[in-house]
Amino acid sequence: MTGHLDEIDRIVAADTFRLVDIFKDLHRNPELGFEEVRTARIVAQALGNLGFTVTTGIGRTGVVAVLANGPGPVVMYRADMDALRVPEATGLDYASSDPSLGHMCGHDAHVTWMLGMAKVLAETTASWSGTAVLIGQPAEELIAGARAMVDDGLYDVAPPPDSFIAMHTVPVPVGMVAAAGGERMAGTDQLEIVFHGVGGHGSLPQLAKDPVLMAAQAVVQFQGIISRSIAPSEGAVLTVGSVQAGTTYNVIPDQARLLANLRWYNPEVREQLLAGIRAISEGIAHSFGLPDALMPVITMGGGSTPLVNDADLTGRLAATLRDALGEHNVITELPEVSASEDCHLLKGPHRDVPLAYLMVGVADPQVYAEAAARGQLFPYTPHSPDYVVDLAAIPLGARIASRAMLELLATS
């Protein structure tokens, strides 16, 4: 594998200027889930230019690119493309051009890493055999894009994989990678809860049925599900991320809308959370004297099961990455985290395909060290306005992706 590593380093070094330019361009031009038209076009054009067979529009804005290079294993690699409705506050000279959106989770880096890795694969076909399937996935933040691609015919245009790789940024120093087997991330659900009421004048509350008050009571009471219905030994999180109601000061509206997010590992806990939300919501509505026709309406949005890394596959990749990054820079023991993903849903009906989901450090080591000296766990967190991918992580991430793919495809 040493010769392959040297060749990877040579190709990525020569490609670094292009990759950084791509990354900055994607960072300046963020797009929300299922709206990644420009990003998908960049991905499709770059992969098509490298000789991949490219199909666009899978799952609305998803991209599927296949490079068949003789007999051998099929290895799938996923990069998510969507940004967040989070205003950027990094002060970078290539910050988002849209004041309301930002790539504050590193998906712009994910796309760039995949394009760098694709160039390595295209230029080293004499060294590997098999089929590489690269996925530009929409709407990961909505926890909906992976399922949308499968439902829209992903496996009509791509062969089922023998193994599957995905990578994600994490705010630890550049040069570090986490490659840990087992259950790594929580399952998740997105819910909309709409409280109906009777609108009226703010000065005459007795003539109205105030859905704002109902929603406010629900936000507080929901936390009792976690503290009093779920066993302390179980992991569970219930977050209300949005409260929407009314348009002005002195009008009681006729509805209030909550957007909630659940995190869980045990499917039975998930059912407890859902049942508790429904019982509390309907109980509050009944206490306000509302009829059955005005009971709260709960609508399920995107969702995903817990993400589980295959121990053997992840261990194999950890070994090859130690050769490249050093023994102490590859972490193989990690606690579960309550963050969630949907990349594993790209397996569709092929549920037994082994997955290796790698976490790649993107923080400037000095910035990280200064934060640690202040007692902070991280210098910033994903989805925060100050999330920064250090530019040194761009070529390094492309190298890591390339090494992982060639480890599984290499024949000599």
Side-chain angles (χ1 to χ4, degrees), residues 12-385:
V12 173
D15 196 30
T16 294
F17 181 84
R18 179 186 75 103
L19 294 177
V20 170
D21 191 54
I22 290 171
F23 169 73
K24 288 182 175 181
D25 178 71
L26 294 173
H27 193 85
R28 284 191 197 98
N29 296 282
E31 296 172 300
L32 295 174
F34 292 127
E35 298 176 12
E36 310 96 335
V37 175
R38 183 180 185 274
T39 305
R41 185 169 61 247
I42 290 169
V43 171
Q45 182 174 341
L47 295 178
N49 290 344
L50 291 170
F52 284 76
T53 300
V54 177
T55 306
T56 59
I58 303 294
R60 294 168 62 176
T61 49
V63 180
V64 181
V66 179
L67 185 61
N69 187 41
V74 177
V75 183
M76 179 178 284
Y77 183 100
R78 192 275 334 237
D80 40 4
M81 304 186 294
D82 55 326
L84 291 156
R85 196 173 292 284
V86 175
E88 181 170 355
T90 63
L92 295 168
D93 60 6
Y94 52 90
S96 173
S97 60
D98 187 325
S100 66
L101 308 180
H103 265 297
M104 313 318 296
C105 196
H107 295 189
D108 44 357
H110 303 171
V111 172
T112 308
W113 292 342
M114 183 173 73
L115 298 183
M117 174 266 288
K119 186 173 177 63
V120 171
L121 293 184
E123 294 189 9
T124 60
T125 51
S127 300
W128 62 272
S129 184
T131 300
V133 179
L134 308 190
I135 305 293
Q137 183 201 310
E140 185 277 333
E141 298 293 357
L142 302 178
I143 311 294
R147 184 176 281 113
M149 291 191 75
V150 172
D151 291 346
D152 198 27
L154 167 60
Y155 289 107
D156 294 335
V157 298
D162 297 301
S163 55
F164 182 20
I165 301 171
M167 305 201 321
H168 201 292
T169 65
V170 64
V172 300
V174 174
M176 299 191 70
V177 175
E183 193 170 69
R184 298 269 52 88
M185 289 191 173
T188 187
D189 290 280
Q190 320 273 44
L191 293 81
E192 176 192 69
I193 306 124
V194 177
F195 286 87
H196 295 286
V198 177
H201 198 288
S203 67
L204 299 169
Q206 74 277 15
L207 302 180
K209 304 287 187 183
D210 190 346
V212 177
L213 186 54
M214 296 180 217
Q217 291 182 9
V219 170
V220 174
Q221 290 185 39
F222 285 166
Q223 296 309 314
I225 303 171
I226 303 293
S227 64
R228 290 297 179 267
S229 295
I230 307 297
S233 59
E234 297 282 2
V237 179
L238 195 168
T239 298
V240 177
S242 178
V243 181
Q244 304 170 13
T247 58
T248 192
Y249 303 97
N250 64 343
V251 176
I252 296 171
D254 62 3
Q255 72 173 39
R257 178 174 180 251
L258 303 180
L259 299 180
N261 173 256
L262 311 182
R263 310 282 171 151
W264 47 272
Y265 300 96
N266 183 339
E268 294 180 3
V269 169
R270 175 182 184 264
E271 294 306 316
Q272 287 180 278
L273 290 167
L274 293 173
I277 288 170
R278 183 171 296 280
I280 287 171
S281 300
E282 292 182 354
I284 290 171
H286 280 303
S287 74
F288 276 72
L290 290 170
D292 288 347
L294 291 180
M295 285 295 104
V297 175
I298 299 174
T299 304
M300 301 297 293
S304 180
T305 55
L307 183 148
V308 180
N309 265 347
D310 181 83
D312 291 340
L313 178 62
T314 309
R316 179 179 173 184
L317 296 184
T320 194
L321 291 173
R322 285 192 193 98
D323 291 341
L325 302 174
E327 182 75 26
H328 299 295
N329 287 325
V330 179
I331 308 301
T332 57
E333 297 292 334
L334 288 173
E336 295 173 343
V337 297
S338 56
S340 299
E341 252 282 4
D342 72 341
C343 70
H344 52 296
L345 300 186
L346 285 168
K347 298 179 188 181
H350 312 290
R351 295 183 180 179
D352 293 334
V353 173
L355 166 69
Y357 185 86
L358 309 178
M359 306 294 288
V360 178
V362 297
D364 180 317
Q366 182 62 34
V367 172
Y368 182 87
E370 291 170 357
R374 296 192 297 270
Q376 295 175 233
L377 185 60
F378 304 111
Y380 37 75
T381 59
H383 295 202
S384 64

